[in-house]
Amino acid sequence: MSIAIVGMACRYPDARTPAELWENVLAQRRAFRRMPRERMRLEDYWSPVRGARDRTYAAEAALITDWEFDRVAYRVAGSTFRSADLAHWLALDIAALALEDAGFGGGNGLPRETTGVLLGNTLTGEFSRANAMRLRWPYVRRVLEAELDELTLEPARRRALIERLEERYKAPFPEVGEETLAGGLSNTIAGRICNHFDLGGGGFTVDGACASSLLAISQSCSALVARDLDVAIAGGVDLSLDPFELVGFAMTSALAPVEMRVYDRRSAGFWPGEGCGVLVLMREEDALAQGRRVIAAIRGWGISSDGSGGLTRPEVGGQLLAIRRAYRRAGFGIETVGYFEGHGTGTSVGDATELAALSRARREASASSPAALGSIKANLGHTKAAAGAAGIIKAALVLHHQVLPPTTGCDEPHVELTGESPALRVLREAEAWPEAAPRRAGVSSMGFGGINTHLALEAADGERRQTLTPHERSLAASAQDAELFLLGAADAAALGRDVDRLAALAPSLARAELGDLAAWLGRSLAPSALRAGIVAATPAELARRLETLRAWLREGVRERLAEADGVFLGARAGAPRIGFLFPGQGSPARPDGGRLRLRFPSVRALYAKFPLPAGANAVATEIAQPAIVTASLAALRLLDALGIEAEVAVGHSLGELTAL
């Protein structure tokens, strides 16, 4: 029996809806930002040293911004709202949106007695854990009193000091009331949704660590097949980015120290995220009979444990059990699956284990060609209990849109993906779904305790298409390794004020927002006497280079170019004279054109006309020379498109030919 996904909603970093999540996947937007003080003071917990006691070495995470729960619309009293962890309200909000997407707006039309709620969650949320500190005051007071015993304070001053400290200590935390306990529990998240919509099918929370939401969806499918439920609201929520988790993950070396890479040779850990994803599920036959839109169908699901393997270290054998069970139930083989949404945390052990398990399963099934692979965690971080829901939403959209998306966060693919006859592949650019291939996808999750889950999805019937839309192509071509930030002003004082504003903003930006800022600055640029430009790849790099520009302005510099630092400052005095310098042999060049080919159609056409062998020895003369010349010609095409023309061209060695 197949299970239909009839509704979806989500709130993840940089993604307020499934449509935004899909666009971010195509554009390879990455929502990571420096942890803001409002969530955790890095000066209290960050250390560059791995293993430092009570410290984390990772400073970036993906966070939700600009979400506010409308308690009036949901008829929630202020005292109740303040008593419950925000994870409760986010889950209720997203569940309501998912029901609306499924055609059950406000719960209308639901078979209430047979509609259930199964949500993945592990630790409720960081807010209830923080609020519980209020009740730890007696311990803090005893520590203070023990220290004060060493001081010669008169009793009255001592009492006054303790009373003032108690007031200050408790001020940030709400008072404990009759609803505090329920508001701090994980299970009542699902119960709250049942309560709001008056559902009688049962509501509970599933805790399978980072596999929680995929487990909740799997259990919902089983309940629908058994006809215990007619409609299931399933997914996961996680708002937990406090020291308990971040320091704990740091102690296991699970966090990425410099960059989060997924299925990459250099994968060294993940950066955390948060969010909520909810699906509305029905038996496919019922959904079709009611005329409901079927986004995708879940054909099979499998669950397993690693047995005597490690509690926190994944095992190939355990994952294979879940995979085989999923496809046995699905009724089709894993060799027919064209896309896999992996767990993909970016840890070296986790990625290698998952790649080995999926590759082995496909080889055993005699798959004829490698399947595409990706992980939403590279875009929005590891959202832990909500991660599987994000993955299945992405996979459903892959099938719905019939597009294989580019793989974010993988520049140097893992050896399992590049060896002889690989069973899986990562994509540098988006591709239309192969015309003759069935539209099927697999989604994996794993978690602490040795739990594994795998789901097999298939597209709903619909018209096939063979090309990407112009909008999809534009999104897929928008990813860049760095951004160009342009500034202009009438004088140094005005430019300095603009730099000051940007310098205050830059550290709080997400990586995805760099492109937004660069585009806004470019559109806002007006004719000006003094101009500046900065090239930066991360918010931290932008902040540092803005400081360099600010220092120049303070020193009275009006013209300077620091190529190594990516900073330019110049006064406009007529049209500049431009010359091009072309490199010779020994200059590095990508045989595939890199980001330029992906971004610009004219460059893509050049490489299509003069293809270079992929994976060849780039140092060999017969490869290096064509690669360098083609790269130079690609740059010329791009400069020409931007309206930049040279008065003179010179070249070094091989570059003389290009200059000519």
Side-chain angles (χ1 to χ4, degrees):
M1 182 181 294
S2 294
I3 304 302
I5 301 173
V6 297
M8 300 192 305
C10 68
R11 187 71 186 235
Y12 288 102
D14 200 32
R16 296 168 295 182
T17 63
E20 286 189 1
L21 184 146
W22 175 243
E23 291 191 341
N24 293 344
V25 167
L26 287 180
Q28 300 185 62
R29 287 173 64 94
R30 311 194 77 186
F32 303 110
R33 70 177 76 236
R34 183 176 175 84
M35 183 73 75
R37 289 172 63 91
E38 295 85 355
R39 296 295 294 274
M40 192 174 80
R41 295 169 65 101
L42 284 175
E43 59 266 37
D44 292 341
Y45 293 102
W46 183 82
S47 170
V49 181
R50 281 199 183 197
R53 191 172 69 174
D54 299 338
R55 296 288 188 269
T56 177
Y57 54 84
E60 291 193 50
L63 296 95
I64 294 173
T65 58
D66 303 323
W67 173 77
E68 185 175 357
F69 181 70
D70 188 350
R71 67 175 184 82
V72 175
Y74 284 94
R75 305 185 303 279
V76 175
S79 58
T80 302
F81 172 73
R82 290 186 291 273
S83 295
D85 193 282
L86 282 177
H88 286 238
W89 309 122
L90 179 62
L92 175 57
D93 197 21
I94 302 307
L97 292 173
L99 286 172
E100 184 177 337
D101 186 58
F104 296 114
N108 295 322
L110 283 173
R112 296 184 188 272
E113 290 189 359
T114 54
T115 297
V117 180
L118 283 76
L119 287 181
N121 182 262
T122 55
L123 295 165
T124 309
E126 67 187 67
F127 310 97
S128 55
R129 285 202 296 280
N131 291 341
M133 290 175 62
R134 179 186 181 92
L135 298 177
R136 297 298 182 184
W137 167 250
Y139 168 75
V140 176
R141 184 188 62 212
R142 286 195 299 273
V143 173
L144 288 170
E145 288 177 337
E147 287 298 312
L148 290 175
D149 285 342
E150 305 295 324
L151 304 176
T152 56
L153 282 180
E154 58 187 63
R157 287 189 62 192
R158 177 171 169 157
R159 280 196 305 274
L161 175 62
I162 292 293
E163 288 172 1
R164 288 199 307 273
L165 288 174
E166 180 176 5
E167 185 177 349
R168 290 188 63 182
Y169 179 88
K170 290 183 175 180
F173 312 121
E175 292 187 7
V176 177
E178 61 179 339
E179 296 184 85
T180 300
L181 179 61
L185 296 177
S186 175
N187 183 61
T188 46
I189 301 174
R192 199 174 295 278
I193 297 171
C194 290
N195 179 268
H196 180 81
F197 290 106
D198 190 25
L199 305 178
F204 57 91
T205 303
V206 177
D207 183 355
C210 299
S212 294
S213 56
L214 219 56
L215 282 170
I217 293 167
S218 298
Q219 293 298 303
S220 297
C221 291
S222 295
L224 288 164
V225 168
R227 299 189 179 274
D228 294 332
L229 296 177
D230 292 318
V231 176
I233 301 168
V237 62
D238 194 296
L239 292 178
S240 193
L241 290 172
D242 63 357
F244 175 72
E245 285 207 4
L246 297 184
V247 174
F249 278 127
M251 291 299 102
T252 66
S253 297
L255 300 180
V258 178
E259 183 74 48
M260 182 176 173
R261 302 182 177 96
V262 178
Y263 305 129
D264 193 283
R265 294 172 187 266
R266 302 158 296 165
S267 293
F270 66 83
W271 282 339
E274 60 185 355
C276 179
V278 176
L279 310 180
V280 179
L281 306 174
M282 299 177 66
R283 289 180 291 276
E284 188 175 27
E285 58 191 29
D286 294 346
L288 294 174
Q290 295 178 23
R292 300 197 181 275
R293 174 197 55 164
V294 177
I295 303 168
I298 302 173
R299 304 292 193 209
W301 51 96
I303 300 170
S304 71
S305 287
D306 289 335
S308 60
L311 276 177
T312 60
R313 180 186 179 94
E315 300 285 343
V316 172
Q319 291 186 32
L320 282 171
L321 282 175
I323 291 168
R324 289 164 181 160
R325 288 166 182 165
Y327 292 102
R328 186 162 58 244
R329 188 190 295 266
F332 56 77
I334 191 173
E335 74 280 1
T336 67
V337 175
Y339 177 77
F340 288 95
E341 175 62 19
H343 187 62
T345 59
T347 63
S348 57
V349 173
D351 281 7
T353 303
E354 184 177 18
L355 290 173
L358 286 171
S359 297
R360 180 174 162 185
R362 284 181 58 76
R363 289 192 180 103
E364 288 176 350
S366 301
S368 59
S369 59
L373 173 71
S375 171
I376 190 68
K377 295 177 182 65
N379 300 96
L380 48 82
H382 188 356
T383 57
K384 305 175 294 296
I392 200 169
I393 289 171
K394 176 186 169 185
L397 293 172
V398 166
L399 297 174
H400 176 72
H401 291 287
Q402 305 179 45
V403 174
L404 295 172
T407 306
T408 303
C410 182
D411 296 320
E412 298 180 18
H414 191 277
V415 292
E416 186 72 55
L417 303 168
T418 58
E420 201 170 320
S421 301
L424 302 164
R425 64 187 178 115
V426 293
L427 274 62
R428 285 182 53 78
E429 55 188 301
E431 299 177 5
W433 197 280
E435 183 178 0
R439 283 184 288 150
R440 292 168 178 166
V443 186
S444 287
S445 263
M446 63 183 92
F448 278 7
I451 187 72
N452 305 289
T453 309
H454 189 87
L455 272 70
L457 277 65
E458 189 164 24
D461 290 337
E463 185 178 346
R464 296 291 292 259
R465 63 188 180 101
Q466 285 77 49
T467 60
L468 276 65
T469 66
H471 182 57
E472 288 168 341
R473 290 194 181 281
S474 176
L475 286 168
S478 65
Q480 297 191 156
D481 296 323
E483 294 288 347
L484 174 62
F485 302 88
L486 300 173
L487 296 167
D491 52 41
L495 183 60
R497 289 191 292 271
D498 289 342
V499 171
D500 288 342
R501 284 192 289 269
L502 285 178
L505 173 67
S508 65
L509 290 173
R511 295 187 177 216
E513 292 171 340
L514 287 177
D516 303 336
L517 175 61
W520 181 82
L521 289 173
R523 287 194 300 267
S524 305
L525 193 65
S528 50
L530 194 61
R531 292 197 166 193
I534 292 175
V535 175
T538 66
E541 192 170 64
L542 175 60
R544 289 194 302 270
R545 293 178 176 182
L546 283 166
E547 289 300 328
T548 298
L549 181 55
R550 182 152 56 179
W552 289 359
L553 292 170
R554 288 171 180 166
E555 294 168 10
V557 175
R558 294 298 175 266
E559 288 192 8
R560 183 175 291 176
L561 172 61
E563 293 181 65
D565 294 330
V567 185
F568 162 78
L569 176 64
R572 183 167 182 167
R577 297 189 65 205
I578 297 174
F580 291 161
L581 172 62
F582 295 99
Q585 188 166 347
S587 174
R590 294 188 64 135
D592 61 358
R595 290 288 186 189
L596 291 183
R597 181 180 63 81
L598 298 178
R599 184 75 193 266
F600 300 100
S602 62
V603 175
R604 190 157 51 247
L606 176 70
Y607 277 89
K609 186 175 181 180
F610 301 108
L612 296 166
N617 180 5
V619 179
T621 299
E622 63 273 18
I623 300 298
Q625 288 193 353
I628 293 165
V629 171
T630 307
S632 294
L633 293 175
L636 272 176
R637 288 197 175 193
L638 173 57
L639 291 167
D640 184 61
L642 296 173
I644 299 173
E645 297 181 356
E647 297 182 38
V648 62
V650 295
H652 162 252
S653 181
L654 174 68
E656 294 181 53
L657 297 176
T658 320
L660 181 62

